[in-house]
Amino acid sequence: MRSFLQVLFGTNALNDRVRQTLIASLYTHPSSLALGAACGVGTSIVPAWLAKDPWIVAATALLFAIASFRVGAAFYLERRTQRHGARQREIVYELGAWSYALVLGLIGALTVGNTVEPQVELLMVGNAVGYGVGISARNAGRPLIAVGQLFFAILPPIVALLVSGTAAHIAMALSMLVLLPAMVSIIMITFRVLRDSV
């Protein structure tokens, strides 16, 4: 448990070269980040349009702003690794990643609590889960970022599903809860493989 927390919070002794390489991995292929951001924003427009709930509309607009910032920062910082330190690039990525995941998860939760068609609810909860799982593997080089994104994306829909109280929603929430420790384990395994290979 102690070594897990050391890895997660970066207190383990990674030498500078390994740390810089793992941080640089966050910025490889910013086009994939752009595609993921476009997917999240594009799907969020559907409940914003159909539900016309001011909270969902505001959250979708915020998601678009965060996505635009993240994509712009990724393309900018990818080419300027010498001008910006590794820690600075990591913080920029971390804050953008966590805020994007949290807003995406909140939109999923808001659709559960709103009277939208079940297909729209499934679209947004599935989007939050898919993003949380997919991004975990992509960002496993920095476990704290990956685990944070996973939890920020998936926990809000879990809470909303449990609060709704229907049998199907509770079953979905419980299956998503089981998913969390499994994905954290995969993140840590992938991180160790990346670290050792570097």
Side-chain angles (χ1 to χ4, degrees):
M1 181 66 176
R2 185 177 174 187
S3 64
F4 167 76
L5 293 175
Q6 286 176 330
V7 168
L8 192 60
F9 291 103
T11 56
N12 59 327
L14 282 180
N15 70 37
D16 286 342
R17 185 181 65 80
V18 173
R19 184 179 302 279
Q20 288 175 8
T21 302
L22 293 174
I23 291 169
S25 73
L26 298 172
Y27 287 94
T28 56
H29 304 295
S31 56
S32 68
L33 182 70
L35 287 171
C39 179
V41 171
T43 54
S44 299
I45 291 172
V46 175
W49 177 264
L50 294 177
K52 294 183 175 46
D53 180 299
W55 290 104
I56 296 177
V57 172
T60 300
L62 180 59
L63 189 71
F64 174 76
I66 294 168
S68 300
F69 170 79
R70 289 190 72 205
V71 171
F75 278 102
Y76 175 81
L77 292 172
E78 178 201 24
R79 297 181 181 91
R80 292 166 178 83
T81 57
Q82 303 303 321
R83 290 174 55 186
H84 301 279
R87 184 64 186 141
Q88 181 184 16
R89 288 183 291 129
E90 184 177 30
I91 289 171
V92 168
Y93 193 93
E94 184 175 73
L95 293 177
W98 285 353
S99 57
Y100 181 90
L102 178 61
V103 174
L104 188 66
L106 288 173
I107 294 171
L110 287 168
T111 59
V112 172
N114 203 301
T115 53
V116 295
E117 296 176 11
Q119 298 93 323
V120 177
E121 182 182 300
L122 178 62
L123 171 70
M124 291 316 301
V125 172
N127 194 19
V129 172
Y131 177 80
V133 169
I135 208 68
S136 295
R138 185 190 190 280
N139 294 340
R142 300 310 295 147
L144 183 60
I145 294 174
V147 171
Q149 285 180 281
L150 175 69
F151 277 77
F152 283 137
I154 295 180
L155 279 181
I158 288 174
V159 171
L161 289 164
L162 290 173
V163 168
S164 80
T166 68
H169 281 168
I170 290 171
M172 183 182 285
L174 293 177
S175 68
M176 289 163 65
L177 277 171
V178 172
L179 176 72
L180 291 173
M183 287 309 305
V184 170
S185 174
I186 290 169
I187 290 168
M188 301 313 295
I189 290 168
T190 307
F191 167 72
R192 290 187 187 101
V193 169
L194 287 170
R195 180 196 60 195
D196 293 347
S197 68
V198 172

